[in-house]
């Protein structure tokens, strides 16, 4: 007879919207094991597994910390209550948690106080007073008597519960599912979930052994980024560029500071989708999108939101793993705003083969290819605008836009390879520009900081012959340096807006490097904080109308790096709003 040998979950912390699929190991009488699902439709040895999920509802009400959602709250900020902020933001698990988060938390109070236009004394009540360490001392209340606090709840939506199946020790079990997989809902927040698995006789439909049980931690809400400051304007279009961090690279070894549940793909994909959809961009350029994730998740899900998608997978000559795990560049555009005209694909591996055939002696070709072949690609789309382009002099003429999406090689010691890849892409774009009067957008993760040779080539159209990056050129592919030019009038959206925008506020300027006018960072981990991502545009055909407000280190909370429960990539998204310039009549 079959017996259940082991039941466990990959993560003990359930999150709203992220499916739970337990691992069930079965043993047969001959001691062999089965890990496949054994359902009523495909029984084994006359038996199958029956599953149930329960929500365990305690008579004691529980709420969770706003900073550490896996912890039970013990304190509530009175300032949040006075300021009428969402009650969920007022809870903290300890006085240290409240103190550490105070500088970030205080901003919520300041915004609320500004909106309420209250006087200074009332502001003091909302903000709390400070002791010598700078932490708030009088704006929190102990929640040890939480049972009598009417604000403490296990979810804001009250639904008719499922039939009570068991009650003992002050707990009530409500049946919520009968499949192996269960996706927690908002009604489950603050509750423990219990999974039941039992072997059933296929003929009698009766259980033949005692059930095996598995309990989770309390269900937590899905922390999602604050997307209050969206770009909304008429007669323009918006472009998003975002390296979403491939699941293949999101390992506990690399990102040990991120909770394992927040690093899991089932959680991150939902959080990323919420963020991307929340930006409401007309054109979305994503990097590090795995092939299987594009086919099974991002393509279908963004299709529901009105996006058409085109994907270019990396070449996979160097990659030795599962081909479905190979990442690439995915470009999405709103079907009601743009239509697809043409696609170009740039495979730098093929360009490397052509380069070595033409310039490298036969004896050195293998060494040269080992250095140049890195699987990186670029995806170039020509789109036609469907919307009314205000300010364009030729209303009867098609308005085309060329969008390039790329991910340049990552290793910093291969400076020659990075520069060669960027130069190769720009030469391809020059050919497109020569064949049509068309605005250009060049988006992506260039793995190059402001002032590097690739950035200089993009932003200035040339590289200084004495630039230190040019010292790394063992194959001689960058010589003569005079060839490292292009004629496209490209400028960085963030840099151009920072230089020219009168309305750029003090808070936004704090997040811009005054030396380069680029963001202080677009990639933020424990090991690296800097800018690698850009949106470049052709300044003769487009103007920047507005930008997405950048994150700063305070927004990431003290001692926090990316990814985190709130932000599911180690990069931040860039978003710019553009308007086409009037075309000169010819």
């Amino acid at each position: 007879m079959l017996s259940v040998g082991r039941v466990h979950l990959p993560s003990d912390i359930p999150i709203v919207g992220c499916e739970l699929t337990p691992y069930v190991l079965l043993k047969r009488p001959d001691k062999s094991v089965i890990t496949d699902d054994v359902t009523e439709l495909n029984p084994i040895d006359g038996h199958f597994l029956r599953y149930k999920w329960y929500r365990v509802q305690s008579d004691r009400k529980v709420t969770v910390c706003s900073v550490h959602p896996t912890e039970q709250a013990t304190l509530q900020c009175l300032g949040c209550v006075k300021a009428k902020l969402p009650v969920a933001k007022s809870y903290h698990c300890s006085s240290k948690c409240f103190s550490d988060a105070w500088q970030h938390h205080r901003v919520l109070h300041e915004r609320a106080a500004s909106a309420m236009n209250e006087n200074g004394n009332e502001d003091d009540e909302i903000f709390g007073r400070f002791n010598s360490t700078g932490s708030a001392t009088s704006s929190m209340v102990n929640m040890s008597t939480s049972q009598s606090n009417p604000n403490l709840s296990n979810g804001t939506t009250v639904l008719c519960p499922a039939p009570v199946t068991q009650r003992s020790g002050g707990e009530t079990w409500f049946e919520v599912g009968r499949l192996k997989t269960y996706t927690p809902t908002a009604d489950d927040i603050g509750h423990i979930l219990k999974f039941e698995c039992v072997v059933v006789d296929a003929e009698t439909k009766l259980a033949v052994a005692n059930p095996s049980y598995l309990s989770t931690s309390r269900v937590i809400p899905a922390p999602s980024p604050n997307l209050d400051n969206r770009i909304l304007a008429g007669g323009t279009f918006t472009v998003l560029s975002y390296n979403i961090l491939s699941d293949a690279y999101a390992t506990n070894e690399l990102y040990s500071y991120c909770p394992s549940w927040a690093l899991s793909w089932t959680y991150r994909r939902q959080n990323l989708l919420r963020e991307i959809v929340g930006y409401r961009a007309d054109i979305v350029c994503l990097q590090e999108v795995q092939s299987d994730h594009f086919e099974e998740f991002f393509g279908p899900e963004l299709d529901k939101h009105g996006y058409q998608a085109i994907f270019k997978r990396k070449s996979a000559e160097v990659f030795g793993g599962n081909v479905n795990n190979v990442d690439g560049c995915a470009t999405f555009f709103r079907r009601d705003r743009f239509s697809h005209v043409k696609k170009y694909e740039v495979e730098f591996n093929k360009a490397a083969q052509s380069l070595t055939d033409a310039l490298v002696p036969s004896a050195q070709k293998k060494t040269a290819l080992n250095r140049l072949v890195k699987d990186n690609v670029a995806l170039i789309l020509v789109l036609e605008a469907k919307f009314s382009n205000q300010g364009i002099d030729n209303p009867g003429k098609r308005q085309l836009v060329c969008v390039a999406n790329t991910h340049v090689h990552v290793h910093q010691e291969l400076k020659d390879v990075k520069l060669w890849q960027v130069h190769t892409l720009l030469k391809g774009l020059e050919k497109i520009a020569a064949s049509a009067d068309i605005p250009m957008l060049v988006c992506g993760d260039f793995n190059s900081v402001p002032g590097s040779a690739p950035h200089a080539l993009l932003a200035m159209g040339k590289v200084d012959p004495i630039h230190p990056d040019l010292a790394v050129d063992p194959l001689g592919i960058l010589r003569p340096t005079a060839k490292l030019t292009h004629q496209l009038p490209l400028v960085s959206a963030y840099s151009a807006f920072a230089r020219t925008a009168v309305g750029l506020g003090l808070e936004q300027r704090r997040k811009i490097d005054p030396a380069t006018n680029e963001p202080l960072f677009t990639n933020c981990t424990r090991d690296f904080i800097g800018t690698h991502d850009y949106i470049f545009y052709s300044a003769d055909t487009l103007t920047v109308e507005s930008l997405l407000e950048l994150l700063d280190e305070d927004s990431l909370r003290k001692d926090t790096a990316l990814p985190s429960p709130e932000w599911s990539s180690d990069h931040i998204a860039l978003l710019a709003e553009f308007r086409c310039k009037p075309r000169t009549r010819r």
Side-chain angles (χ1 to χ4, degrees):
M1 185 181 72
L2 289 179
S3 61
V4 177
R6 184 185 180 197
V7 180
H8 79 94
L9 281 169
S11 173
D12 291 334
I13 300 173
I15 306 111
V16 170
C18 298
E19 66 181 27
L20 300 170
T21 304
Y23 172 85
V24 179
L25 185 145
L26 295 173
K27 292 182 178 179
R28 302 180 78 166
D30 62 2
K31 307 300 182 181
S32 62
V33 297
I34 302 170
T35 56
D36 294 335
D37 195 9
V38 181
T39 66
E40 188 172 1
L41 296 177
N42 61 339
I44 293 180
D45 299 337
H47 297 86
F48 66 92
L49 291 179
R50 179 182 292 157
Y51 309 110
K52 287 186 181 180
W53 284 91
Y54 301 99
R55 178 193 306 136
V56 180
Q57 192 156 313
S58 172
D59 292 345
R60 179 175 177 268
K61 305 292 185 180
V62 174
T63 193
V64 296
C65 175
S66 61
V67 179
H68 307 100
T70 60
E71 301 296 328
Q72 183 176 331
T74 62
L75 301 172
Q76 185 176 27
C77 173
L78 292 178
C80 289
V81 177
K82 292 176 183 292
K84 299 180 180 179
L85 290 167
V87 69
K89 295 182 180 294
S90 67
Y91 299 131
H92 295 269
C93 57
S94 67
S95 57
K96 182 179 186 303
C97 165
F98 185 61
S99 177
D100 288 347
W102 176 248
Q103 293 305 317
H104 173 79
H105 189 83
R106 191 174 197 269
V107 174
L108 301 176
H109 294 192
E110 291 171 345
R111 290 173 180 169
S114 176
M116 296 167 67
N117 196 25
E118 295 187 337
N119 62 41
N121 290 335
E122 290 169 319
D123 285 350
D124 279 345
E125 288 188 25
I126 291 178
F127 295 159
R129 297 177 180 84
F130 290 85
N131 60 20
S132 60
T133 63
S135 61
T137 59
S138 63
S139 59
M140 56 187 181
V141 63
N142 193 297
M143 291 165 54
S144 59
T145 57
S146 61
Q147 274 186 285
S148 62
N149 190 333
N151 286 325
L152 301 184
S153 65
N154 292 306
T156 58
T157 304
V158 180
L159 299 175
C160 295
V164 176
T165 58
Q166 186 173 336
R167 180 175 174 83
S168 65
E171 289 185 348
T172 305
W173 294 14
F174 293 102
E175 184 180 322
V176 293
R178 293 193 174 189
L179 299 175
K180 186 178 183 181
T181 296
Y182 178 69
T183 302
T185 68
D187 297 322
D188 299 320
I189 293 174
H191 298 293
I192 290 171
L193 297 176
K194 192 176 287 287
F195 174 70
E196 177 187 281
C197 175
V198 63
V199 178
V200 175
D201 186 284
E203 290 187 6
T204 65
K205 303 297 189 291
L206 297 176
V208 296
N210 291 327
S212 296
Y213 290 101
L214 177 153
S215 294
T216 70
S217 301
R218 297 186 185 277
V219 176
I220 64 174
S224 58
N226 181 356
L227 303 178
D228 292 337
N229 299 308
R230 297 306 95 217
I231 295 173
L232 295 172
T236 60
F237 66 96
T238 52
V239 179
L240 173 76
S241 184
Y242 196 8
N243 180 328
I244 63 169
L245 179 59
S246 166
D247 184 47
Y249 309 142
T251 64
N252 289 308
E253 291 74 24
L254 283 176
Y255 304 104
S256 58
Y257 50 84
C258 182
S260 58
W261 59 265
L263 205 56
S264 69
W265 180 240
T266 53
Y267 172 75
R268 289 204 308 119
R269 68 178 186 178
Q270 295 294 343
N271 210 32
L272 287 166
L273 181 65
R274 275 193 296 270
E275 182 185 0
I276 292 165
V277 170
Y279 291 129
R280 301 193 292 274
D282 296 309
I283 301 171
V284 177
C285 296
L286 302 181
Q287 302 88 43
E288 286 197 21
V289 181
Q290 284 185 198
S291 301
D292 53 345
H293 296 164
F294 174 79
E295 296 292 340
E296 299 169 7
F297 184 73
F298 285 111
E301 290 298 323
L302 286 172
D303 176 72
K304 298 175 186 176
H305 293 274
Y307 287 95
Q308 184 174 334
I310 297 178
F311 178 69
K312 175 58 183 174
R313 190 178 67 187
K314 283 183 178 177
S315 302
E317 292 180 36
V318 177
F319 183 79
N322 186 334
V323 70
N324 289 324
N325 294 339
V326 177
D327 66 282
C329 298
T331 301
F332 303 80
F333 56 90
R334 287 191 177 276
R335 288 187 293 266
D336 62 337
R337 301 278 282 165
F338 291 95
S339 59
H340 177 230
V341 176
K342 198 165 187 178
K343 175 183 73 171
Y344 302 89
E345 296 180 343
V346 179
E347 294 188 4
F348 295 113
N349 285 6
K350 290 183 178 179
Q353 187 66 57
S354 299
L355 178 69
T356 54
D357 287 345
L359 298 179
V360 179
S362 299
Q364 300 175 15
K365 278 187 179 180
K366 184 175 180 180
T367 301
L369 288 173
N370 284 340
R371 187 173 184 84
L372 293 174
V373 170
K374 301 301 177 186
D375 290 345
N376 299 89
V377 296
L379 175 63
I380 304 170
L381 300 185
V382 176
L383 305 175
E384 180 178 357
K386 294 182 177 180
F387 53 88
S388 173
N389 294 295
Q390 298 177 11
I392 294 178
D393 290 342
N394 301 333
K397 195 171 182 180
R398 300 170 73 193
Q399 178 59 58
L400 302 178
V401 178
C402 180
V403 184
N405 179 10
T406 193
H407 188 188
V408 171
H409 188 58
V410 62
H411 292 302
Q412 297 306 311
E413 66 273 14
L414 298 178
K415 298 181 187 300
D416 55 327
V417 177
K418 293 176 186 288
L419 182 54
W420 169 75
Q421 287 183 351
V422 170
H423 184 249
T424 300
L425 172 60
L426 290 170
K427 286 303 173 183
L429 291 173
E430 273 190 326
K431 293 178 181 178
I432 297 173
S435 63
D437 179 16
I438 183 171
M440 289 275 177
L441 291 158
V442 186
C443 308
D445 176 0
F446 293 86
N447 275 307
S448 303
V449 298
S452 64
H455 181 267
L457 181 59
L458 283 157
M460 307 299 294
K462 61 182 180 180
V463 182
D464 191 317
I466 61 171
H467 195 290
D469 284 2
L470 299 182
V472 181
D473 186 20
L475 303 176
I477 59 174
L478 306 180
R479 294 191 289 270
T481 57
K483 74 178 183 181
L484 298 174
T485 63
H486 68 88
Q487 301 303 313
L488 300 171
L490 296 178
V491 294
S492 164
Y494 277 75
S495 177
F497 196 74
R499 287 197 306 266
T500 61
V502 177
L504 194 63
L506 179 61
E507 282 299 308
Q508 188 77 329
R509 288 194 181 279
R510 283 181 56 243
K511 305 164 191 175
I512 298 291
D513 184 340
T516 64
N517 285 312
E518 295 287 5
L520 286 173
F521 68 87
T522 64
N523 183 201
C524 178
T525 69
R526 285 281 169 84
D527 300 320
F528 175 81
I529 299 179
T531 297
H532 279 168
D533 308 82
Y534 308 92
I535 299 176
F536 287 92
Y537 70 98
S538 51
D540 62 335
T541 54
L542 296 168
T543 58
V544 183
E545 297 288 307
S546 63
L547 300 172
L548 172 68
E549 183 176 345
L550 293 165
L551 284 176
D552 57 21
E553 291 176 77
D554 291 338
S555 300
L556 301 177
R557 294 201 177 106
K558 184 179 178 182
D559 296 329
T560 301
L562 299 177
S564 69
E566 290 79 13
W567 305 94
S568 287
S569 175
D570 56 347
H571 290 248
I572 64 172
L574 301 181
L575 178 67
E577 179 189 23
F578 294 97
R579 186 185 299 276
C580 294
K581 286 185 176 181
R583 288 188 262 189
T584 304
R585 293 184 183 273
R586 294 181 181 176

